[in-house]
Amino acid sequence: MISIDWFLALSALLFCIGIIGVLIRKNAIVIFMCVELMLNAVNLSLISFSSHYGNIDGQILVFFALAVAAAEAVVGLAIIIAIFRNNLSVDINKVNLMRW
Amino acid sequence: MDYLHDLNVFLPGVIVALAGLIAIIIDAYKNDHGAIFGLTVFSLFAGLVLSVIDMFGPVGEAFSGMITYGGVAAFGNSVVLFGALFCVLISREYLNAIDYEYGEVYALILFATAGMLGLASANNLIMIFIGIETMSICLYVLAGLIKERKTGAEAALKYFLLGAFSTGFLLYGMALLYGATGSLYLTEIAEAASSDLIFIAGAALLLVGFFFKVSVVPFHMWTPDVYQGTPTTITAYMATASKSAAFVALLVVLSKMIPAETADWAGVIEVIAILTMVLGNLIAIVQDNIKRMLAYSSIAHAGYLLVGLAAGTPEGYSAVLFYLFAYTIMNIGAFGVVAYYERQQGLDFTDVNNYVGLGFKKPLMGVLLSFFLFSLVGIPPFVGFVGKYLIFAAAIDAGYVALAIILALASAASVYYYLRPMVYMYFRDPHKDVPLVRSGIVFRSTLVILAALTLYFGIAFGDLHNLLSSYYAADWVTHLMGH
């Protein structure tokens, strides 16, 4: 039996990789993938806690998180397409009309 | 029978969500914008009436404790529905004028409102998550409504990426809270709370997620850009309804779920409140674009609201609720008048410098804008003054004298940028004669009603204030906080 600590450590590690990706990458699609990585890292935590407590609530939240991530992907990719049509690029450094 | 009872107490949400579905079907088959607009206004009005009635009714839990009804939840629902209703009423004419009136806009507003109702009544972390996300995903789409223009697409992208990023923190916070306590119900979490690292980290991450949604410094970066790029009446909706829903949920989380003794939460909120009030007001002073100015002003108002939350007393919480209502009335009004000027051809009326001499051309609009700006400054007898006074008094009572003084100084600084458009409108000569199109009857009367409400609740605030205070008189909050 693997202890829950390992799952939580893996989840925290993946979450941090996601954060770093969001902060340093410049391509809007890659940033979005990193956000998805963060959400899925959290799902891993939720499932481990859920199995640790023998309580189903955490897994229900995981289902909602998956559904929300899917809806977010639909809207997000559409927005990225709109950006591409305007700028002919998805580089977020070029999305800089408004400042301050 | 239980389900019928549950559906009945959550009827505003049910009506609004169903209306959203019907709006989409009408849009697909008949593309009749008049019918969709009528349906939207009717459902929001029906929901508003029902939740106002709920404000005086009993308090309880429904759907196996997922949501609460009555009391704070009913008041939150009323503010959200009020904001949504008035934004929809001014939206039609404005969106028609800029050629972006789609049936989907109303459907998305209805869905977002349903999410906000869930959020404001939430009693469980799952409900908070679903509420926030239903609201946010609809708002990402609405922010990108003018997708052919670069600023519109940019606003949507910034809102979406930062919003999704903050969702990650929110969800991780929920996971850690669940791990620390073994439950997702707010009250059960509070009972099992302790000062161990997992609980504190979870609560902190959850608060970070909330701070993003209510746009307080240092999580405010998206606000001015999104408010500028979004069509103005939709901005009014984002700035009022979504902020009110998120603030009510934040208030419930702070008062119900996070026991004060686990860590110095009031200290954290105090620091963020000071940063938000100071930075929001200072940056607003240098803005020339009136929508960005109102965006920074809304950040500053979030700071005032945090002062009430930092106080953490029943008076503080009821002051925050009152202020949310006041803020909703006056902000929709201000954005509404800006929307009226903005749709005029010939000059860029988002630039404050072009407001010169406007006051005498259309006297009604000039007077209305003055009403709303005076109320935002917090000058009696407008409702903004009462809201600020209640928060100020609650902070002093709770011993946060320094915080109260900063609040007073910050709102003194805000006089400069709120009065600047008015000085331009009334005391400077216009440089170019631009003909102003007359506004429609619905648009005009909506703004007049809002102006009348700023005055009415500025004078006769006693009943509402007593009602809000009574929510905290003898129920769970006082019990939990040990007051």
Side-chain angles (χ1 to χ4, degrees):
Chain A
M1 176 88 183
I2 311 172
S3 94
I4 183 176
D5 297 351
W6 292 100
F7 292 102
L8 295 181
L10 175 65
S11 156
L13 185 68
L14 287 174
F15 191 80
C16 291
I17 293 174
I19 293 181
I20 293 168
V22 171
L23 295 180
I24 65 170
R25 296 303 296 259
K26 298 294 167 210
N27 183 312
I29 294 183
V30 178
I31 292 178
F32 179 54
M33 284 160 59
C34 292
V35 169
E36 293 288 305
L37 182 62
M38 287 165 67
L39 291 181
N40 283 316
V42 177
N43 286 345
L44 186 58
S45 274
L46 279 169
I47 295 172
S48 346
F49 282 130
S50 182
S51 109
H52 176 72
Y53 285 115
N55 169 328
I56 202 79
D57 285 6
Q59 293 184 36
I60 294 172
L61 182 50
V62 169
F63 273 109
F64 282 114
L66 289 175
V68 162
E72 234 166 30
V74 171
V75 170
L77 292 177
I79 290 173
I80 293 174
I81 289 173
I83 278 287
F84 183 78
R85 286 193 180 145
N86 276 306
N87 290 352
L88 296 182
S89 144
V90 288
D91 185 342
I92 55 159
N93 284 334
K94 291 185 180 151
V95 185
N96 58 3
L97 280 178
M98 295 180 281
R99 280 184 187 165
W100 279 96
Chain B
M1 287 313 280
D2 256 7
Y3 269 106
L4 282 181
H5 168 258
D6 290 355
L7 284 175
N8 189 30
V9 295
F10 196 55
L11 204 53
V14 176
I15 292 176
V16 169
L18 276 181
L21 292 174
I22 298 171
I24 282 205
I25 295 172
I26 299 179
D27 190 46
Y29 283 97
K30 290 182 69 181
N31 200 17
D32 179 353
H33 292 175
I36 297 176
F37 175 75
L39 172 75
T40 310
V41 170
F42 176 75
S43 60
L44 289 173
F45 185 73
L48 179 59
V49 170
L50 286 170
S51 42
V52 168
I53 294 171
D54 276 353
M55 277 166 57
F56 304 94
V59 181
E61 293 180 349
F63 294 110
S64 339
M66 293 297 277
I67 61 160
T68 55
Y69 61 89
V72 177
F75 181 75
N77 287 352
S78 307
V79 173
V80 165
L81 287 162
F82 177 89
L85 175 64
F86 279 83
C87 288
V88 166
L89 283 172
I90 57 174
S91 280
R92 183 150 197 242
E93 182 179 331
Y94 171 78
L95 292 176
N96 261 323
I98 62 166
D99 275 336
Y100 280 93
E101 207 231 5
Y102 302 124
E104 292 93 332
V105 174
Y106 302 116
L108 283 168
I109 288 182
L110 287 170
F111 290 140
T113 308
M116 290 170 195
L117 297 180
L119 179 58
S121 347
N123 193 33
N124 181 304
L125 290 181
I126 297 182
M127 202 59 217
I128 290 184
F129 180 69
I130 299 171
I132 277 197
E133 287 307 305
T134 312
M135 163 181 110
S136 299
I137 290 175
C138 295
L139 289 182
Y140 302 151
V141 183
L142 287 171
L145 188 60
I146 312 185
K147 61 179 187 300
E148 290 82 5
R149 221 182 292 157
K150 279 194 175 180
T151 45
E154 185 176 329
L157 184 74
K158 284 181 173 166
Y159 196 13
F160 167 69
L161 285 181
L162 287 173
F165 189 48
S166 72
T167 300
F169 290 100
L170 187 86
L171 192 62
Y172 203 31
M174 289 180 181
L176 292 183
L177 286 172
Y178 177 61
T181 60
S183 171
L184 287 166
Y185 288 94
L186 300 186
T187 38
E188 288 179 17
I189 291 176
E191 279 159 18
S194 58
S195 288
D196 66 349
L197 187 63
I198 296 191
F199 180 84
I200 291 180
L205 284 168
L206 186 77
L207 288 183
V208 167
F210 267 115
F211 288 159
F212 255 106
K213 299 292 175 196
V214 299
S215 69
V216 295
V217 179
F219 310 103
H220 66 292
M221 298 304 183
W222 56 272
T223 317
D225 295 355
V226 172
Y227 284 16
Q228 185 187 346
T230 309
T232 309
T233 54
I234 308 288
T235 310
Y237 179 63
M238 281 179 185
T240 55
S242 86
K243 214 174 219 183
S244 302
F247 249 108
V248 170
L250 177 60
L251 184 153
V252 170
V253 161
L254 281 174
S255 60
K256 214 169 173 181
M257 190 193 86
I258 304 180
E261 62 276 6
T262 48
D264 186 15
W265 300 110
V268 173
I269 294 174
E270 196 181 347
V271 171
I272 292 182
I274 292 174
L275 278 177
T276 309
M277 288 188 290
V278 172
L279 271 175
N281 279 312
L282 283 184
I283 305 178
I285 289 177
V286 299
Q287 296 298 328
D288 275 336
N289 183 310
I290 194 156
K291 280 168 84 177
R292 291 182 83 78
M293 184 275 272
L294 285 173
Y296 279 107
S297 111
S298 91
I299 294 173
H301 283 275
Y304 307 150
L305 286 159
L306 283 188
V307 173
L309 292 184
T313 53
E315 294 84 46
Y317 291 132
S318 58
V320 168
L321 291 175
F322 186 92
Y323 200 88
L324 280 175
F325 179 55
Y327 167 85
T328 301
I329 304 176
M330 56 203 186
N331 238 28
I332 297 178
F335 274 111
V337 180
V338 171
Y340 166 72
Y341 286 132
E342 196 201 333
R343 73 188 178 86
Q344 310 292 340
Q345 307 288 324
L347 268 179
D348 175 16
F349 279 115
T350 51
D351 189 341
V352 181
N353 296 313
N354 287 334
Y355 275 57
V356 284
L358 284 182
F360 296 110
K361 274 194 192 162
K362 287 279 181 232
L364 177 67
M365 287 297 167
V367 170
L368 287 175
L369 187 60
S370 312
F371 261 62
F372 298 128
L373 290 180
F374 274 129
S375 182
L376 283 165
V377 177
I379 292 176
F382 297 103
V383 68
F385 167 74
V386 181
K388 243 175 222 169
Y389 169 75
L390 291 175
I391 287 189
F392 186 84
I396 298 269
D397 278 350
Y400 291 91
V401 178
L403 204 53
I405 291 174
I406 293 175
L407 190 158
L409 291 178
S411 38
S414 75
V415 173
Y416 173 79
Y417 62 83
Y418 284 131
L419 295 197
R420 191 169 149 218
M422 275 193 273
V423 171
Y424 283 13
M425 285 171 84
Y426 287 109
F427 300 116
R428 302 242 173 120
D429 293 327
H431 17 244
K432 189 175 141 196
D433 199 33
V434 184
L436 295 183
V437 181
R438 215 173 132 78
S439 55
I441 180 75
V442 177
F443 192 89
R444 223 174 325 141
S445 34
T446 309
L447 291 181
V448 170
I449 293 173
L450 284 170
L453 287 176
T454 56
L455 210 52
Y456 176 77
F457 284 104
I459 297 166
F461 57 89
D463 289 344
L464 181 60
H465 179 235
N466 289 340
L467 178 70
L468 293 177
S469 306
S470 74
Y471 294 157
Y472 290 97
D475 74 315
W476 42 263
V477 182
T478 36
H479 160 72
L480 199 82
M481 294 190 306
H483 283 288

